[in-house]
């Protein structure tokens, strides 16, 4: 017989005790490890209550399949109240990230066509390829300046610039010039604001929203300042494209970027377009740059694998005869490496959905309306799901085993990551250019762990040595 909802194990009955354990384990930065610990303690399903919200947590691919079948027509994930509160406070519209219901669906359908459909992929490739080439030139310059034919550095700041330059080129069809020596201080400020925005979100994740705004707490003030910086910069970029478009409505034939395409399509209001473009611009920086940093870190720790991927890239370069879009179809191991990076170092600790119908998970009855979380970080490190999970093995995604509900780093279904295609193309092209030109090494073999600042980040700087081939 199916067991009752109330029988699910976990510390959900005593949310104060749970909050206490949470603080004691330095929960804010350790959410991912706490989830792992809870799955070890309670098994593959547990209930919890942290602060003001309650959830059922699961880890198995079979359960993920059941969860996503019950997500309904308007899939809804955990609402990040700090983000919606900011918009309410400043009277700004929600974009796709924060919308729900029919409003979300109608916006998302239009955005899908311009951002994630296979049809637009080809438009992005040359834009992203150009930024990748410029990044390589920039690294050669840096190496030259050291006078030692190598460069040892924490690449994160360069990667933030690469990611912002890439996503901006796709969104606006224009370069910001971040691969140059002297960059626009506003662009640098934008990058700093995104990092601050994520950092200030996590402490507010478990506080009731009303409390947030009325306490006048420093986190809230910093958070507002961060979003203000993000919106101001995005507004400037959007305004500039909008004005150009009004002057010369149909300029040349070349692809004008996502924003101009949306404006010309005329299916969403200007305010809706602005809101979602701002989210895309803000969502496009820390996510891909950190994933690339983790990938270089793993490849530096696995020199033979690095060589194997480099060989795959060389072969693809020759076989594609200059057709870069074609080339991206010939690098399965490189794609496996990115999946493997996201398995061990996911951007999102969990995926969440409010289920729209009653379901059964691990033989427990779960009523409609429940918030169910899939522990993505914990799943990626479970030996029953991924044999030898501690090993970085991109080939596991190429041959062998089933991938059934195991490749979920970008989420699933109609509510999955809208920036997925941009992110994947941008990251693949980056690695192609970098591995064609440089070798990556790591000094000391110390393990770098993740820390939670809304997204998972390396807890300390990753130092890499870059050498020309
Ligand atoms: C949503 C992961 C890069 C924009 C999401 C979600 C995940 C995710 C897990 C939630 C999906 C779900 O609930 O099923 C990632 C990862 C990235 C990445 C791993 C890179 C390594 C990007 C980029 C952009 C972006 C580059 C923008 C260009 C968004 C947006 C949403 C989203 C707008 C909300 C979509 C909606 O609610 O309809 N992402 N993301 N992401 N992401 Fe990403
Ligand atoms: C954080 O418990 C942990 O892609 C919470 O590009 C649950 C939660 C809810 C929503 C998730 C968030 C977590 C992590 C960051 C995500 C976010 C949805 C989108 C966002 C996964 C797992 C992200 C990084 C977007 C951000 C775009 C934004 C800056 C405009």
């Amino acid at each position: 017989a199916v067991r009752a909802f109330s029988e699910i194990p976990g510390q959900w009955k005593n949310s104060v005790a749970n909050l206490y354990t949470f603080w004691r384990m330095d929960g804010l930065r350790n959410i991912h490890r706490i989830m792992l610990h809870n799955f070890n303690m309670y098994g593959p399903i547990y209930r919890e209550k942290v602060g003001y919200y309650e959830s059922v947590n699961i880890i198995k691919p079979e359960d993920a399949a059941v969860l996503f079948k019950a997500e309904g027509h308007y899939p809804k994930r955990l609402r990040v109240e700090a983000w919606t509160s900011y918009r309410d406070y400043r009277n700004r519209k929600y974009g796709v990230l924060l919308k729900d219901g029919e409003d979300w669906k109608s916006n998302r359908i239009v955005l899908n066509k311009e951002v994630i459909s296979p049809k637009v992929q080809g438009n992005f490739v040359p834009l992203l390829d150009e930024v990748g080439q410029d990044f390589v030139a920039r690294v050669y310059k840096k190496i030259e300046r050291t006078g030692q034919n190598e460069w040892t550095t924490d690449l994160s700041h360069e990667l933030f610039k690469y990611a912002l330059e890439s996503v901006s080129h796709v969104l606006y069809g224009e370069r910001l010039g971040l691969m140059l020596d002297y960059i626009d201080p506003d662009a640098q400020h934008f990058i700093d604001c995104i990092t601050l925005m994520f950092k200030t979100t996590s402490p507010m994740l478990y506080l009731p929203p009303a409390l947030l705004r009325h306490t006048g707490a420093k986190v809230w003030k910093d958070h507002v300042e961060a979003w203000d910086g993000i919106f101001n910069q995005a507004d400037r970029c959007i305004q500039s494209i909008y004005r150009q478009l009004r002057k010369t409505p149909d300029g040349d034939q070349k692809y004008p970027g996502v924003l101009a395409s949306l404006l010309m399509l005329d299916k969403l209001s200007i305010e809706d377009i602005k809101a979602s473009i701002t989210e895309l611009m803000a969502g496009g920086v820390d996510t891909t740059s950190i994933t690339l940093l983790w990938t270089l870190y793993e490849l530096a720790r696995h020199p033979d694998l690095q060589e194997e991927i480099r060989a795959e890239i060389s072969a693809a370069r020759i076989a594609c005869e200059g057709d870069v879009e074609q080339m991206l179809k010939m690098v399965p191991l490189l794609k496996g490496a990115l999946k493997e990076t996201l398995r061990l170092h996911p951007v999102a600790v969990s995926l969440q959905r409010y289920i729209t119908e009653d379901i059964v998970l691990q033989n427990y009855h779960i009523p409609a309306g429940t918030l169910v979380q899939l522990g993505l970080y914990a799943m990626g490190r479970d030996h029953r799901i991924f044999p030898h999970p501690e090993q970085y093995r991109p080939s596991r995604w190429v041959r062998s085993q089933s991938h059934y509900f195991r490749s979920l780093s970008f989420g699933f279904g109609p509510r999955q990551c809208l920036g997925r295609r941009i992110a994947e193309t941008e990251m693949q092209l980056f690695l192609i250019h970098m591995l064609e030109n440089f070798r990556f090494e790591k000094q000391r073999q110390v393990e770098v762990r993740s820390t939670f600042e809304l997204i998972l980040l390396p807890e300390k700087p990753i130092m890499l040595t870059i050498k020309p081939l």
Side-chain angles (χ1 to χ4, degrees):
V2 173
R3 291 196 277 178
F5 188 51
S6 59
E7 289 180 75
I8 302 175
Q11 226 180 33
W12 53 275
K13 283 176 192 150
N14 192 338
S15 66
V16 177
N18 199 22
L19 205 58
Y20 175 71
T21 328
F22 191 76
W23 284 112
R24 216 194 41 206
M25 288 184 75
D26 191 12
L28 271 191
R29 284 143 186 249
N30 279 316
I31 290 190
H32 49 305
R33 276 184 288 272
I34 291 181
M35 285 182 91
L36 202 71
H37 165 237
N38 284 337
F39 283 119
N40 284 331
M41 188 151 79
Y42 299 120
I45 187 165
Y46 68 91
R47 258 175 94 175
E48 76 175 341
K49 185 169 181 183
V50 208
Y52 68 100
Y53 75 85
E54 232 190 290
S55 67
V56 167
N57 293 5
I58 55 170
I59 188 171
K60 296 204 161 173
E62 310 86 274
D63 293 339
V66 176
L67 164 63
F68 287 114
K69 266 184 208 112
E71 67 176 5
H73 291 299
Y74 308 114
K76 194 169 172 299
R77 71 172 82 85
L78 181 73
R79 195 175 146 97
V80 179
E81 301 277 358
W83 298 352
T84 50
S85 292
Y86 169 81
R87 283 146 180 88
D88 298 346
Y89 176 62
R90 286 286 192 237
N91 240 320
R92 289 190 174 271
K93 280 204 104 165
Y94 297 177
V96 257
L97 173 74
L98 301 172
K99 283 180 189 291
D100 277 311
E102 187 51 50
D103 189 26
W104 166 78
K105 186 97 200 169
S106 57
N107 275 253
R108 175 84 197 211
I109 284 171
V110 177
L111 288 163
N112 279 346
K113 253 191 270 150
E114 299 302 326
V115 182
I116 204 171
S117 76
K119 162 200 127 200
V120 293
Q121 170 88 356
N123 296 329
F124 299 162
V125 170
L127 301 178
L128 295 168
D129 196 44
E130 189 185 299
V131 183
Q133 288 178 23
D134 289 356
F135 193 84
V136 166
R138 181 166 171 79
V139 173
Y140 273 122
K141 236 197 236 167
K142 294 276 190 183
I143 293 175
E144 216 167 275
R145 283 183 203 159
T146 68
Q148 294 176 322
N149 205 34
E150 63 175 50
W151 182 34
T152 300
T153 183
D154 166 12
L155 255 194
S156 58
H157 297 280
E158 292 299 326
L159 288 169
F160 288 149
K161 289 191 272 179
Y162 169 76
L164 178 56
E165 186 76 14
S166 295
V167 76
S168 302
H169 202 192
V170 167
L171 294 178
Y172 306 120
E174 281 183 354
R175 296 290 298 265
L176 297 183
L178 299 178
M179 301 289 98
L180 305 172
D181 277 335
Y182 297 99
I183 68 159
D184 178 7
D186 290 338
Q188 185 58 54
H189 182 63
F190 180 79
I191 291 174
D192 298 338
C193 283
I194 296 173
T195 308
L196 181 66
M197 179 276 290
F198 281 127
K199 198 189 171 77
T200 52
T201 304
S202 58
M204 295 191 283
L205 219 42
Y206 306 102
L207 299 172
L211 199 75
L212 293 179
R213 261 167 67 174
H214 302 293
T215 51
K218 185 170 187 314
V219 258
W220 170 250
K221 282 189 185 144
D222 288 348
H223 192 67
V224 169
E225 215 177 280
W227 276 122
D228 281 347
I230 292 168
F231 275 94
N232 285 340
Q233 180 66 8
D235 280 347
R236 271 198 290 272
C237 294
I238 295 167
Q239 277 309 322
S240 139
I241 298 296
Y242 187 66
R243 260 187 247 115
Q244 283 177 43
L245 210 62
R246 291 191 44 177
K247 261 192 273 163
T248 44
D250 37 23
D252 39 29
Q253 296 304 302
K254 91 176 208 298
Y255 175 69
V258 173
L259 172 60
S261 304
L262 286 170
L263 290 168
M264 291 186 294
L265 198 64
D266 200 24
K267 285 202 176 138
L268 297 179
S269 74
I270 306 262
E271 290 310 309
D272 276 340
I273 293 175
K274 274 186 169 176
S276 285
I277 290 287
T278 303
E279 289 173 357
L280 285 167
M281 194 181 172
V285 180
D286 297 33
T287 47
T288 51
S289 53
I290 292 301
T291 306
L292 286 172
L293 185 60
W294 281 121
T295 306
L296 294 177
Y297 163 80
E298 295 291 358
L299 295 181
R301 299 206 304 167
H302 302 88
D304 294 346
L305 172 66
Q306 185 180 142
E307 217 39 67
E308 201 184 329
I309 297 178
R310 189 173 286 118
E312 180 189 75
I313 292 170
S314 304
R317 177 67 77 191
I318 294 165
C320 79
E321 298 177 331
D323 182 343
V324 182
E325 208 183 333
Q326 205 49 42
M327 185 179 176
L328 295 181
K329 295 184 181 135
M330 303 171 176
V331 286
L333 196 60
L334 174 68
K335 291 179 182 173
L338 284 165
K339 285 191 178 173
E340 193 66 347
T341 299
L342 287 166
R343 175 179 69 81
L344 286 168
H345 316 284
V347 169
V349 235
S350 72
L351 302 177
Q352 331 80 41
R353 292 291 185 267
Y354 290 90
I355 51 169
T356 57
E357 53 191 284
D358 289 22
I359 56 175
V360 174
L361 293 170
Q362 293 298 312
N363 208 34
Y364 289 103
H365 172 249
I366 320 285
T370 305
L371 175 64
V372 180
Q373 288 204 66
L374 170 70
L376 212 53
Y377 177 89
M379 180 174 123
R381 285 165 187 258
D382 191 302
H383 66 92
R384 281 152 297 191
I385 305 167
F386 296 99
H388 304 288
E390 71 292 346
Q391 291 175 15
Y392 186 81
R393 274 199 347 228
S395 62
R396 73 171 87 228
W397 298 103
V398 181
R399 330 171 197 109
S400 70
Q401 57 165 291
S402 153
H403 303 156
Y404 183 72
F405 282 92
R406 278 168 176 75
S407 176
L408 294 171
S409 307
F410 289 94
F412 180 83
R415 188 108 216 198
Q416 70 178 279
C417 178
L418 176 62
R420 179 176 191 159
R421 288 283 116 71
I422 297 175
E424 287 173 339
T425 313
E426 173 190 324
M427 295 192 295
Q428 289 160 14
L429 286 167
F430 177 93
L431 292 170
I432 285 175
H433 287 298
M434 290 297 273
L435 290 169
E436 281 182 320
N437 287 278
F438 309 106
R439 197 182 312 285
F440 298 86
E441 292 172 10
K442 210 175 161 322
Q443 242 81 50
R444 278 163 290 113
Q445 293 291 359
V446 276
E447 190 81 19
V448 180
R449 304 207 304 170
S450 296
T451 185
F452 176 81
E453 288 190 5
L454 199 84
I455 56 172
L456 290 174
L457 301 175
E459 99 191 314
K460 57 182 180 222
I462 292 177
M463 298 300 287
L464 295 170
T465 299
I466 309 175
K467 298 181 176 173
L469 286 178

